[in-house]
């Protein structure tokens, strides 16, 4: 079991403080600003972003009207901090790098040995004109801080998976549904097969709805079905009825398109091997080419930073079961031979989340964290 | 110390509990005055009856302050997601039947099943700028059910009573609530989704590992289960 921040005592304080400073010096490289966002964050923002799943995993505190949450990670707090700085200082501050170290709080299932409170030391980089270089820099700094501790680096690319969805020969509505559920592999598979099912039958009620749309009598169907209670209005019901009818009339997704998608999700191995695989798959999925180019540029940038892509593990499905906000490069560092321990480090690119929090501003964002206590434990200092 | 049996303190659940035991030759009686929440089992001096609200029973079982108790499966599964670690269902009792269901306004002709709800929730969020709200007091059960069925863009709003009214009152867009005949839902212009059955619940006699099980209590349990015509939990060794 990894000791939580609350259990440290005596001489361990000095060792831990020194380790944190060592890590932050490497992550910051003399350029990043050290920050400390609030431990208590507005629960509403976080719950709205991450949904009900977060309630199980975070500590929420009632505060009369507005609920507060002990930060389960630093991503949203740092984005909010950055937005506030840009507000104060203007657009010149929009390219920025921050480092930080502090506790995060996670609820664990009853009987679990995992820590509910532990340190994260991290780096977040906003803005910049070269995302491949930024991705590589975060990975390289994290790897440098980990040093020769016994970990295995794993990388992924959610952006490539999302691009593969966009390249499917099907309706925008189906692509949107797949995109939404990319973080839930079970649901994703079910949808993919639903969309390609040649033999699906519809219920009588659904057939009736589709007929009503075609015969332009949805309004009557709605009126007959019940009183219009609640915030969701008849116009919304009618709009979605149209979508249901369109979906019913949409041709099944071609079997080879499904196979292509599954082939992409199955890519695993050394990063250079993965690139070769993607280049081959892009030959039959031309829409994938820009994402493959970005992947190639990132591998070049990683190589330029002294990490050999031919010895860097890649898994296309990596990053699908974390908190759902990475939409580009993702990575983790797993302790070698210790499946009982959580990852020592993790991170990735999260442009869409940053944009969701600061609408109207394009906010490319990439970052990563190390768990200093876990690193110390496996490096023999804990 | 006697075997402590908890039963609901009032209402139809209490009446049906007493009748169920009586049908099996076990007479439950209140002792003391009409308002005293204590009782006994006739002919079993080593069993004491504890009357308390059905909602408190899971907590008391988990803490081991009761050995056995009658309550709804819905309440146990909601309060104790890992109930199987501590509790055992000795026998389902065939009354207090209630289905926990997901219901939406009946006029939502475009939402027939859970995957429609998921799609409608996504469109609702894009249109209104906030998540579609489900009112319920069964937060854990609903969350787990929606996770298993891929419903994503929603928010749970706590509702401890009159849940069906939340939609009309604009505090929620849909509900997850207990129903038996479905009349209350219909009267409130709500309809159960085709695949919206979360749990079928009934009153059940539960036992707990958390209570102190000395030989005297085990013996009392075995005598009681013998009279009721059911098997005692297999993690208790009957005295020889």
């Amino acid at each position: 079991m990894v000791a939580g921040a609350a259990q440290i005592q005596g001489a361990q304080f000095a060792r831990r403080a020194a380790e944190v400073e060592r890590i932050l010096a490497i992550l910051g490289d003399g350029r990043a600003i050290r920050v400390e966002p609030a431990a208590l964050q507005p629960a509403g923002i976080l719950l709205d972003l991450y949904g009900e799943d977060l309630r199980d995993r975070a500590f929420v505190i009632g505060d009369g009207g507005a609920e507060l949450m002990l930060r389960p990670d630093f991503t949203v707090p740092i984005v909010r901090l950055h937005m506030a700085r840009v507000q104060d200082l203007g657009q010149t501050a929009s390219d920025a790098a921050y480092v930080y170290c502090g506790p995060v709080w996670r609820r664990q299932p009853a009987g679990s040995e995992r820590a509910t409170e532990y340190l994260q030391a991290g780096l977040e980089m906003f803005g910049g004109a070269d995302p491949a270089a930024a991705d590589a820099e975060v990975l390289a700094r994290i790897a440098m801080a980990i040093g020769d501790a016994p970990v295995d680096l794993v990388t992924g690319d959610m952006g490539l998976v999302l691009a593969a969805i966009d390249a499917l020969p099907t309706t925008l509505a189906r692509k949107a549904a797949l995109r939404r559920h990319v973080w839930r592999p079970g649901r994703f598979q079910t949808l993919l097969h639903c969309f390609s099912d040649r033999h699906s039958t519809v219920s009588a009620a659904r057939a009736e709805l589709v007929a009503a749309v075609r015969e332009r009598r949805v309004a009557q169907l709605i009126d007959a079905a019940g009183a219009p209670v609640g915030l969701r209005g008849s116009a919304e019901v009618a709009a979605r009825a149209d979508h249901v009818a369109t979906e019913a009339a949409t041709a099944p997704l071609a079997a080879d398109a499904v196979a292509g998608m599954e082939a992409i999700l199955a890519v695993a191995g050394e990063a250079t091997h993965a690139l070769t695989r993607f280049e081959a798959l892009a030959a039959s999925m031309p829409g994938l080419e820009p994402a493959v180019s970005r992947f190639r540029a990132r591998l070049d940038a990683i190589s330029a930073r002294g990490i050999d892509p031919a010895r860097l593990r890649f898994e296309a499905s990596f990053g699908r079961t974390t908190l759902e906000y990475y939409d580009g490069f993702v990575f983790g560092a797993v302790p070698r031979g210790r499946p009982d321990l959580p990852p020592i480090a993790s991170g990735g690119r999260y442009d869409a989340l940053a944009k969701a929090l600061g609408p109207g501003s394009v906010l490319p964002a990439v970052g990563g964290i190390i768990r200093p206590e876990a690193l110390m434990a496996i490096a023999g200092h804990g | 110390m006697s075997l402590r049996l908890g039963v609901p303190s009032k209402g139809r659940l209490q009446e049906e509990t007493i009748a169920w035991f009586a049908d099996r030759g076990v007479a439950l009686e209140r002792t003391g005055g009409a308002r005293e929440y204590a009782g006994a089992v006739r002919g079993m001096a080593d069993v004491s009856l504890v009357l308390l609200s059905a909602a408190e029973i899971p907590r008391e079982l988990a803490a081991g302050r009761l050995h056995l108790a009658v309550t709804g499966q819905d309440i146990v599964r909601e309060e104790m997601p890992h109930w199987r670690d501590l509790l055992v269902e000795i026998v389902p009792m065939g009354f207090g039947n209630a289905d926990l269901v997901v219901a939406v306004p009946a006029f939502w002709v475009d939402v027939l099943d859970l995957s429609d709800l998921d799609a409608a929730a996504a469109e609702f969020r894009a249109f209104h700028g906030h998540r579609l709200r489900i009112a319920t007091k069964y937060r854990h059960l609903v969350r787990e059910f929606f996770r298993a069925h891929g419903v994503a863009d929603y928010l749970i709003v706590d509702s401890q009573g009159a849940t069906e009214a939340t939609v009309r009152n604009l505090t929620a867009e849909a509900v997850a609530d207990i129903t038996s005949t479905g009349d209350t839902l219909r009267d409130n212009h709500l309809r159960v989704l085709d695949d919206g059955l979360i749990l079928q619940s009934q009153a059940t006699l539960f036992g707990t590992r958390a209570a102190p099980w000395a030989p005297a209590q085990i013996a009392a349990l075995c005598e009681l289960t013998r009279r009721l015509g059911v098997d005692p939990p297999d993690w208790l060794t009957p005295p020889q």
Side-chain angles (χ1 to χ4, degrees):
Chain A
M1 176 174 148
V2 176
Q7 281 80 40
I8 196 155
Q9 49 194 307
Q12 290 177 301
F13 270 115
R15 270 202 298 278
R16 191 185 72 181
E19 176 66 358
V20 168
E21 292 313 307
R22 182 193 72 82
I23 290 171
L24 292 186
I26 293 172
L27 295 183
D29 193 34
R31 293 186 297 108
I33 303 167
R34 183 147 179 195
V35 295
E36 185 178 353
L40 286 172
Q41 295 280 321
I45 295 179
L46 285 151
L47 286 169
D48 193 66
L49 262 178
Y50 300 140
E52 279 297 324
D53 278 354
L54 184 61
R55 256 194 222 275
D56 265 342
R57 301 198 252 171
F59 291 99
V60 179
I61 300 141
D63 181 41
E67 286 178 313
L68 295 170
M69 181 182 289
L70 281 175
R71 62 176 182 235
D73 70 9
F74 276 90
T75 311
V76 167
I78 300 272
V79 172
R80 296 180 67 230
L81 182 153
H82 176 63
M83 280 162 44
R85 276 190 89 241
V86 172
Q87 184 104 4
D88 285 345
L89 303 174
Q91 279 304 309
T92 49
S94 61
D95 285 5
Y98 304 100
V99 289
Y100 52 88
C101 183
V104 295
W105 291 268
R106 304 273 177 102
R107 287 169 68 154
Q108 301 293 355
S112 165
E113 295 260 297
R114 293 198 154 201
T116 52
E117 177 180 348
Y118 63 90
L119 287 182
Q120 284 189 349
L123 163 68
E124 308 296 325
M125 292 174 34
F126 297 101
D130 189 346
D135 292 349
E137 179 168 1
V138 170
L139 182 69
R141 301 215 160 280
I142 297 264
M144 202 184 314
I146 290 174
D148 52 19
V151 303
D152 293 317
L153 283 181
V154 187
T155 59
D157 191 342
M158 290 301 299
L160 207 145
V161 173
L162 292 168
I165 294 171
D166 280 343
L168 287 169
T170 190
T171 59
L172 288 175
R174 285 184 167 180
K175 293 184 205 187
L178 288 167
R179 284 180 70 100
R180 268 186 342 101
H181 287 292
V182 74
W183 288 278
R184 282 168 281 272
R187 177 81 177 137
F188 185 88
Q189 270 306 106
T190 305
L191 277 177
L192 202 57
H193 286 120
C194 247
F195 292 158
S196 58
D197 191 352
R198 312 195 104 66
H199 306 293
S200 64
T201 53
V202 296
S203 67
R206 195 175 305 278
E208 168 67 8
L209 176 69
V210 172
V213 171
R214 298 213 175 112
E215 294 158 21
R216 306 170 94 82
R217 49 179 179 84
V218 172
Q220 289 94 304
L221 192 70
I222 291 173
D223 283 342
V229 288
L231 199 60
R232 186 174 186 248
S234 314
E236 293 175 73
V237 175
R240 183 144 183 285
D242 272 350
H243 299 156
V244 172
T246 306
E247 170 60 30
T250 303
L253 188 57
D256 60 353
V258 174
M261 185 76 235
E262 289 177 334
I264 284 169
L265 287 169
V267 172
E270 286 81 43
T272 40
H273 159 80
L275 176 61
T276 311
R277 255 323 256 145
F278 288 136
E279 283 166 344
L281 288 164
S284 51
M285 294 174 73
L288 203 58
E289 186 47 52
V292 178
S293 289
R294 285 191 287 273
F295 186 75
R296 191 182 301 116
R298 188 185 308 123
L299 290 195
D300 289 343
I302 286 173
S303 179
R305 288 259 172 192
I307 297 176
D308 183 1
R311 299 177 57 204
L312 180 64
R313 179 156 179 85
F314 176 88
E315 292 172 12
S317 265
F318 188 74
R320 288 175 83 191
T321 49
T322 54
L323 286 172
E324 52 184 80
Y325 55 75
Y326 292 131
D327 53 14
F329 178 55
V330 284
F331 69 90
V334 291
R336 201 169 295 142
R338 294 295 304 272
D340 56 306
L341 288 180
I344 301 297
S346 60
R349 175 165 290 280
Y350 51 98
D351 294 351
L353 176 139
K355 195 164 162 199
L357 284 172
S361 59
V362 176
L363 202 53
V366 61
I369 59 100
I370 291 177
R371 298 173 67 140
E373 296 148 312
L375 181 59
M376 287 171 72
I378 63 161
H381 304 136
Chain B
M1 181 187 169
S2 51
L3 185 74
R4 290 166 63 79
L5 167 65
V7 301
S9 54
K10 60 180 182 174
R12 221 170 74 186
L13 212 51
Q14 187 200 51
E15 292 163 18
E16 293 184 299
T17 298
I18 292 174
W20 185 91
F21 276 88
D23 285 348
R24 288 153 183 78
V26 178
L28 305 182
E29 300 168 329
R30 296 179 89 119
T31 56
R35 286 188 194 73
E36 192 177 335
Y37 290 100
V41 177
R42 195 187 308 158
M44 293 192 72
D46 42 3
V47 181
S48 54
L49 198 62
V50 181
L51 289 91
L52 69 176
S53 85
E56 291 179 328
I57 283 175
R59 185 191 67 212
E60 296 301 294
L61 281 170
R65 288 188 286 267
L66 299 170
H67 293 89
L68 307 172
V70 175
T71 192
Q73 293 164 311
D74 58 323
I75 302 174
V76 168
R77 279 157 175 71
E78 173 59 26
E79 295 299 313
M80 301 173 64
H82 301 282
W83 64 275
R84 274 182 230 273
D85 292 346
L86 267 184
L87 307 186
V88 67
E89 291 179 341
I90 294 175
V91 57
M93 297 162 84
F95 60 88
N97 293 291
D99 292 347
L100 177 60
V101 295
V102 180
V104 304
F107 84 103
W108 289 13
V109 295
D110 64 312
V111 178
L112 301 167
D113 62 22
L114 290 164
S115 75
D116 292 320
L117 181 62
D118 176 55
E123 293 189 17
F124 180 92
R125 186 179 181 190
F127 185 74
H128 290 270
H130 62 86
R131 287 172 182 256
L132 185 146
R133 299 163 300 174
I134 314 279
T136 187
K137 71 177 191 185
Y138 298 91
R139 175 181 292 280
H140 294 116
L141 287 170
V142 170
R143 197 182 299 143
E144 198 41 54
F145 186 71
F146 279 4
R147 183 181 306 148
H149 290 87
V151 180
D153 288 333
Y154 69 97
L155 204 65
I156 288 180
V157 167
D158 191 49
S159 169
Q160 292 296 325
T163 305
E164 300 86 353
T166 54
V167 176
R168 184 178 60 245
N169 295 336
L170 305 183
T171 45
E173 282 64 59
V175 307
D177 201 15
I178 288 286
T179 184
S180 41
T181 59
D183 287 344
T184 317
L185 289 172
R186 272 188 294 276
D187 290 348
N188 283 279
H189 315 290
L190 301 172
R191 165 179 39 87
V192 180
L193 295 181
D194 291 347
D195 52 358
L197 176 64
I198 299 178
L199 174 71
Q200 284 188 294
S201 168
Q202 60 181 295
T204 299
L205 178 63
F206 284 91
T208 178
R209 294 175 207 258
W213 288 102
Q217 286 132 4
I218 298 176
L221 170 68
C222 291
E223 175 57 18
L224 183 62
T225 52
R226 187 191 65 77
R227 292 192 191 197
L228 294 174
V230 300
D231 293 328
D234 58 16
W235 37 258
L236 288 179
T237 318
Q240 297 310 307

